[in-house]
């Protein structure tokens, strides 16, 4: 049968009589300005930020999992997860393949660079829920409008972070990973 395309029809429900917003018929949502959310996250400790992002991601992954089956391709999953991210107002999700490396792109996140760790945690949580498999997402490159997030194993993430901390460019990180002769 194949995986249906993401369809945002009726995804958001605004009930003005009750003063509520719902996503996908589920629990209520709260719309907040992006700069207020960024300030709140900046003031929170690292574990709280990670938990917050992961919980958002697992919920998005659950909704994706309800719409797709186990035969969905990575681009199909990214399309559905991108729809979920867009419904949250966090930007437009894309996919890049750099050899064997899987890079998720986010364009137009209103949280800009300060939100890259949030995006990484959301994607980790979503992939965990949708695939039942742990992966680590590492922000590897950022410009004004585009964030690149590398999806790797936990062990590989530690190496990638070390390379980035020592000044290795994202292109060289990807070249190193592809030159290792094994999948990350």
């Amino acid at each position: 049968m194949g995986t249906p395309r993401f369809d945002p029809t009726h995804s958001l429900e605004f009930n003005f009589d009750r003063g509520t917003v719902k996503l996908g018929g589920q629990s209520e949502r709260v719309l907040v300005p992006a700069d207020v959310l960024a300030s709140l996250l900046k003031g929170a400790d690292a574990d709280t930020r990670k938990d917050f992002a992961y919980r958002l991601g697992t919920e998005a992954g659950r909704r994706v999992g309800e719409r797709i089956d186990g035969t969905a391709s990575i681009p199909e999953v990214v399309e559905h997860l991108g729809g979920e991210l867009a419904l949250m107002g966090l930007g437009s999700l894309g996919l890049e393949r750099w050899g064997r490396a899987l890079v998720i792109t986010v364009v137009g996140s209103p949280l800009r660079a300060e939100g890259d760790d949030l995006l990484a945690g959301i994607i980790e949580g979503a992939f965990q829920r949708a695939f039942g498999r742990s992966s680590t997402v590492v922000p590897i490159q950022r410009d004004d409008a585009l964030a690149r997030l590398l999806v790797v194993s936990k062990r590989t993430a530690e190496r990638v972070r070390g390379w980035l901390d020592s000044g290795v460019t994202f292109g060289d990180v990807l070249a190193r990973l592809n030159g290792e002769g094994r999948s990350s």
Side-chain angles (χ1 to χ4, degrees):
M1 177 175 147
T3 300
R5 298 207 34 107
F6 177 77
D7 181 7
T9 306
H10 306 293
S11 293
L12 286 175
E13 174 190 316
F14 293 88
N15 184 326
F16 292 104
D17 291 334
R18 296 188 66 203
T20 60
V21 178
K22 290 185 178 184
L23 178 61
Q26 302 295 317
S27 62
E28 287 90 6
R29 302 290 185 234
V30 178
L31 302 177
V32 298
D35 63 330
V36 172
L37 177 59
S39 293
L40 182 66
L41 291 171
K42 187 176 182 180
D45 64 80
D47 288 339
T48 300
R49 289 190 307 268
K50 179 86 170 167
D51 182 60
F52 178 76
Y54 199 81
R55 289 177 65 186
L56 287 175
T58 55
E59 185 177 331
R62 179 187 52 75
R63 289 190 304 271
V64 168
E66 289 172 354
R67 289 191 304 269
I68 64 172
D69 60 24
T71 64
S73 68
I74 294 288
E76 290 169 329
V77 171
V78 169
E79 176 187 349
H80 282 264
L81 182 55
E84 293 295 330
L85 206 69
L87 288 169
M88 286 187 240
L90 293 175
S92 177
L93 202 67
L95 173 68
E96 295 178 348
R97 291 296 273 187
W98 292 69
R100 289 180 298 276
L102 176 64
V103 177
I104 301 293
T105 60
V106 180
V107 176
S109 172
L111 300 176
R112 297 173 204 52
E114 294 79 20
D116 287 354
D117 287 334
L118 175 71
L119 294 171
I122 290 170
I123 293 165
E124 280 181 24
F127 280 9
Q128 169 66 39
R129 180 66 183 243
F131 297 126
R133 187 172 154 206
S134 291
S135 58
T136 301
V137 179
V138 181
I140 59 167
Q141 193 264 337
R142 162 58 86 168
D143 65 29
D144 287 340
L146 173 76
R148 284 191 171 94
L149 309 162
L150 179 65
V151 181
V152 292
S153 68
K154 184 176 182 177
R155 193 180 90 195
T156 300
E158 293 169 8
R159 289 197 328 268
V160 167
R161 286 188 183 108
W163 293 334
L164 292 169
D165 289 345
S166 70
V168 176
T169 66
F170 86 93
D172 287 340
V173 166
L174 296 171
R176 287 181 183 189
L177 290 175
N178 282 306
E180 291 177 351
R182 62 180 181 258
S183 177
S184 299

